[in-house]
Structure formats: C-alpha cells, structure tokens
Amino acid sequence: RYHWTTVKEKVAAAKGERFANPSPYKEYFNIEMQTKDDQEFLGELFEKMKAEAAEMKDPQAKKALEDFIAKQSVPAIGGKHVFGVEKALSDQIFATANAIFVAVKNSKEQGMTDEQV
C-alpha cells in the first residue's frame, strides 16, 4: 500500500498536481517538560487552541478540534506530552515551516536585517 501511494504521489507531483493521501498514518511528537516554562507554554497552546475552536464555523472541524483538546493534558516536569497528527497534516506543517525557513534564509542572504525579515 505504501509503495503504490508513493508512486501515485510522484506521478501527481510530476504533473504539478497534489495527490491527497487518504492514509490513516500518523506522526507522533514528544514534547518534554523540563521546566515550568515548558508547562506554561503547553498550557497556553491548549488555551489558544480552545479559542480557535470556539471561533470555527465548520461544525465537524470544530468538534474534531474540541475532541482533540479534551484528550490533552500538561504533564509534570520530567514527563512527556505525546500527540499524534495525521500524516497529511504533518506534511503540510513541515512544508509550511520549510517554506518560511527558506524565505527567511534567502532574505538574510540578500542583506535584510532581522527587523526587516
């Protein structure tokens, strides 16, 4: 299954299209709680996610985000928070982060200051 999905993705990319991967695969991330600041950051992130969910117009997306948030908790210092996201979403996040990284790098190479970037 993975092989054929990869083939379909490459064919679509060659055509300049995007292949919507229906795979249920998830990527898991570990966030280690080393300090009180780490715990506060994660707590603030959950609060921001709750605020975003409250403003969502799509009821299915809103329910999905609310369900995700309800399952989360901030672990004690020394613990880890593990969460999984759908592979397709993970790919989008990393593609966006990479595009931002490249844009910042190129801007700095062209002589822009941190304030301008």
Side-chain angles (χ1 to χ4, degrees):
R1 177 177 171 172
Y2 174 79
H3 171 74
W4 291 112
T5 300
T6 304
V7 169
K8 290 177 184 179
E9 287 175 344
K10 289 179 180 179
V11 168
K15 293 179 182 177
E17 300 171 353
R18 185 179 173 285
F19 174 73
N21 186 349
S23 174
Y25 294 126
K26 288 189 172 189
E27 285 212 35
Y28 291 89
F29 299 89
N30 294 314
I31 301 175
E32 293 185 24
M33 297 293 113
Q34 297 177 353
T35 66
K36 184 76 173 157
D37 290 341
D38 294 337
Q39 289 179 311
E40 290 173 4
F41 174 80
L42 189 59
E44 289 171 10
L45 178 64
F46 292 151
E47 291 303 315
K48 288 178 184 178
M49 291 171 74
K50 287 179 187 176
E52 285 292 321
E55 295 179 14
M56 294 178 90
K57 305 262 189 267
D58 180 354
Q60 287 181 315
K62 181 177 183 172
K63 173 103 172 82
L65 183 56
E66 288 172 342
D67 289 348
F68 174 80
I69 296 167
K71 296 176 188 173
Q72 307 307 309
S73 64
V74 178
I77 293 176
K80 290 183 182 178
H81 177 75
V82 179
F83 66 98
V85 296
E86 303 301 323
K87 179 79 170 92
L89 177 59
S90 173
D91 290 345
Q92 291 174 0
I93 291 169
F94 284 115
T96 302
N98 186 53
I100 293 169
F101 174 77
V102 169
V104 169
K105 181 181 174 201
N106 290 342
S107 297
K108 288 186 176 183
E109 286 175 356
Q110 293 175 5
M112 295 178 79
T113 65
D114 286 341
E115 291 80 24
Q116 291 172 318
V117 172

